[in-house]
């Protein structure tokens, strides 16, 4: 029987933390729609469409920042209330990956990030997920470490920076520091990819006894 921090039995999977996680997942397609509408308006080329592009790009940016901020809220809330459930453990990493890859794929579609960046991040996620499944089958849990959490944080900061650059460019293409914003976005993405590789290698090194077990 699972109990919360107050000693009360948890009788439903719909804890506040799990509700927040589900809301994050529901809003990810809305973020994607806003982004795609902004790019479609930009490609139209007329003044009205240009104004519309700025509005939609700004909506997409704000949505993504809010969704990224809630990445830590649901986990902290579940631990604080003592309502860590198997449903939450299953759903939270899915929400995190959907949030990251929804933005990465949109940026890739419009040529704003290198395909190799996306491939490396995707490959790492597949490999670490497979590693966790193998470890779980052997009764071990591989939790996210500080380096893995730093990788996620830097990745989301980079994606927010890219989306801010798009929103600023859509609202005012002549904005002076636009080039600086793009440079910051690119630099943080490179940092995220480097952390992705290092943290992935660290996971496998720490779990080598699981991989090479006969």
């Amino acid at each position: 029987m699972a109990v919360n921090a107050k000693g009360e039995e948890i009788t439903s999977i719909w804890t506040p933390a799990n509700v927040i996680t589900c809301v994050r997942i529901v809003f990810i397609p809305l973020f994607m729609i806003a982004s795609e509408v902004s790019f479609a308006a930009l490609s139209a080329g007329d003044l009205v469409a240009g104004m519309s592009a700025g509005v939609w790009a700004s909506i997409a940016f704000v949505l993504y920042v809010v969704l990224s901020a809630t990445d830590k809220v649901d986990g902290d809330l579940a631990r604080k209330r003592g309502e860590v459930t198997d449903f939450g453990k299953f759903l939270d990493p899915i929400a995190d990956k959907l949030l990251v890859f929804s933005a990465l794929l949109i940026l890739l579609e419009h040529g704003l990030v290198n395909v190799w960046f996306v491939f490396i991040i995707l490959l790492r996620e597949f490999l670490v997920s497979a590693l966790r499944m193998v470890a779980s089958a052997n009764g071990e849990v591989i939790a996210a470490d500080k380096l893995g959490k730093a990788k996620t944080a830097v990745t989301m900061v980079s994606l927010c920076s890219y989306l801010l650059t798009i929103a600023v460019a859509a609202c005012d293409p002549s904005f002076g520091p636009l080039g600086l914003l793009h440079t910051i976005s690119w630099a943080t993405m490179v940092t995220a990819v480097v952390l992705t590789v290092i943290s992935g290698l660290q996971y496998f090194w720490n779990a080598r006894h699981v991989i090479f077990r006969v």
Side-chain angles (χ1 to χ4, degrees):
M1 180 183 70
V3 295
N4 61 21
K6 296 180 180 179
E8 302 166 340
E9 182 181 358
I10 301 174
T11 58
S12 172
I13 62 171
W14 299 113
T15 62
N18 289 344
V19 169
I20 291 174
T21 303
C22 290
V23 169
R24 284 170 60 205
I25 293 174
V26 168
F27 272 85
I28 288 171
L30 299 181
F31 150 72
M32 296 180 72
I33 290 170
S35 295
E36 289 299 304
V37 170
S38 70
F39 279 108
L42 275 173
S43 64
D46 58 69
L47 179 60
V48 175
M51 294 173 62
S52 174
V55 171
W56 282 106
S58 299
I59 290 172
F61 166 68
V62 171
L63 261 178
Y64 199 83
V65 169
V66 172
L67 292 173
S68 297
T70 61
D71 172 48
K72 188 171 170 54
V73 171
D74 48 6
D76 287 349
L77 184 62
R79 286 185 288 273
K80 182 179 179 181
R81 293 173 58 91
E83 294 176 337
V84 178
T85 63
D86 290 338
F87 180 71
K89 291 178 185 177
F90 164 76
L91 204 62
D92 186 59
I94 291 177
D96 293 344
K97 290 173 178 57
L98 285 175
L99 186 59
V100 168
F101 283 105
S102 62
L104 275 175
L105 292 173
I106 285 174
L107 295 176
L108 179 63
E109 178 188 5
H110 298 283
L112 296 173
V113 293
N114 189 292
V115 66
W116 286 105
F117 289 177
V118 179
F119 174 76
I120 290 169
I121 294 172
L122 182 61
L123 177 64
R124 185 263 192 197
E125 295 301 334
F126 273 124
L127 291 177
V128 171
S129 295
L131 176 63
R132 282 182 168 140
M133 284 191 289
V134 172
S136 178
N138 287 278
E140 296 188 35
V141 176
I142 299 178
D145 57 18
K146 291 182 179 179
L147 193 57
K149 291 177 180 178
K151 178 268 304 179
T152 301
V154 173
T155 302
M156 288 188 174
V157 167
S158 176
L159 293 172
C160 287
S161 181
Y162 269 107
L163 293 169
L164 175 61
T165 304
I166 293 167
V168 171
C171 291
D172 183 8
S174 62
F175 183 67
L178 197 57
L180 177 60
L181 281 175
H182 186 270
T183 300
I184 292 172
S185 303
W186 181 84
T188 50
M189 179 58 70
V190 170
T191 304
V193 172
V194 171
L195 288 174
T196 294
V197 173
I198 295 173
S199 65
L201 291 174
Q202 179 175 281
Y203 274 117
F204 276 85
W205 175 254
N206 292 340
R208 61 191 182 281
H209 63 285
V210 175
I211 303 169
F212 298 108
R213 180 179 293 160
V214 177

